[in-house]
Amino acid sequence: MHIVKYPHPTLRHRSKPLRRVDAELRRLVAEMFELMYAHKGVGLAANQVDLPYRLFIVNLASEPAAKQDELVFINPVITSRKGNAQDDEGCLSFPDIFAPVRRPERCVVSAYNLRGDFVRYELSGLAARAVQHEYDHLDGVLFIDRLDEDARLTVRPALAALELAFETERGRGAIPDDHQISRRLAELESLRA
Ligand code: CO
């Protein structure tokens, strides 16, 4: 498992709900947490590890010692969004890029956890921001889609550099072509979603 970077096509995939929570899914989630901590992130969505599932994880403490702060969201639904706040965001699929994003300040999200229990959280501040950012990933929406014109211009050179790096890696054969990627996502979806 590895983190895919912009502009990898899986980041634009709109994922389907998972059908069940089982040992294999728990193993995937454990791996996602390890990866997220290794990259010092506070959230990671399945799309970012090249998986087409409606699943993301969050740990605002961003360290494995803070196990109690680990949150897993399976088939999440945001049922309410309120207020308005702006803060800098980054994303593990956009290394070293940070930009101000305006989002609702509070949200209510329901989901299933790794035990298969229904959970519901009323969130504000960083937690609400992280959950909305990760939730976007499941619909193929990226934080760069939510930038204002100034921020968009500011990050443009960094995005161009990522696009060039992606094409270079693909040229080396390290990344499959779009058709192979979408075929693999469809296969995975037919198994679990
Ligand atoms: Co992200």
Side-chain angles (χ1 to χ4, degrees), residues 48 91 133-134 137:
Q48 294 180 274
C91 179
H133 174 116
E134 299 309 329
H137 274 298

Side-chain angles (χ1 to χ4, degrees), residues 3-13 47-48 50 92-95 97 140 142 144-145 158-170 175-178 181:
I3 294 177
V4 298
K5 290 177 201 154
Y6 171 85
H8 193 286
T10 303
L11 295 173
R12 289 301 186 186
H13 183 80
N47 308 50
Q48 294 180 274
D50 210 6
L92 294 181
S93 296
F94 295 77
I97 300 180
L142 302 169
I144 54 165
D145 304 334
L159 294 182
L162 284 176
E163 287 160 13
L164 181 62
F166 180 84
E167 287 312 322
T168 306
E169 280 211 42
R170 197 171 238 180
I175 299 171
D177 66 34
D178 284 2
I181 289 172

Side-chain angles (χ1 to χ4, degrees), residues 41-61:
V42 296
L44 186 65
N47 308 50
Q48 294 180 274
V49 293
D50 210 6
L51 294 173
Y53 307 143
R54 294 192 82 79
L55 157 72
F56 64 80
I57 59 172
V58 169
N59 186 343
L60 297 183

Side-chain angles (χ1 to χ4, degrees), residues 108-169:
V108 179
V109 59
S110 54
Y112 292 88
N113 66 16
L114 270 190
R115 287 191 298 271
D117 299 329
F118 182 80
V119 291
R120 182 178 176 279
Y121 302 99
E122 294 182 26
L123 303 172
S124 62
L126 181 59
R129 180 169 295 278
V131 160
Q132 291 177 82
H133 174 116
E134 299 309 329
Y135 183 88
D136 270 353
H137 274 298
L138 309 185
D139 289 328
V141 175
L142 302 169
F143 81 115
I144 54 165
D145 304 334
R146 299 196 179 279
L147 303 182
D148 66 22
E149 200 49 46
D150 281 353
R152 210 182 294 271
L153 283 170
T154 307
V155 302
R156 189 174 284 169
L159 294 182
L162 284 176
E163 287 160 13
L164 181 62
F166 180 84
E167 287 312 322
T168 306
E169 280 211 42

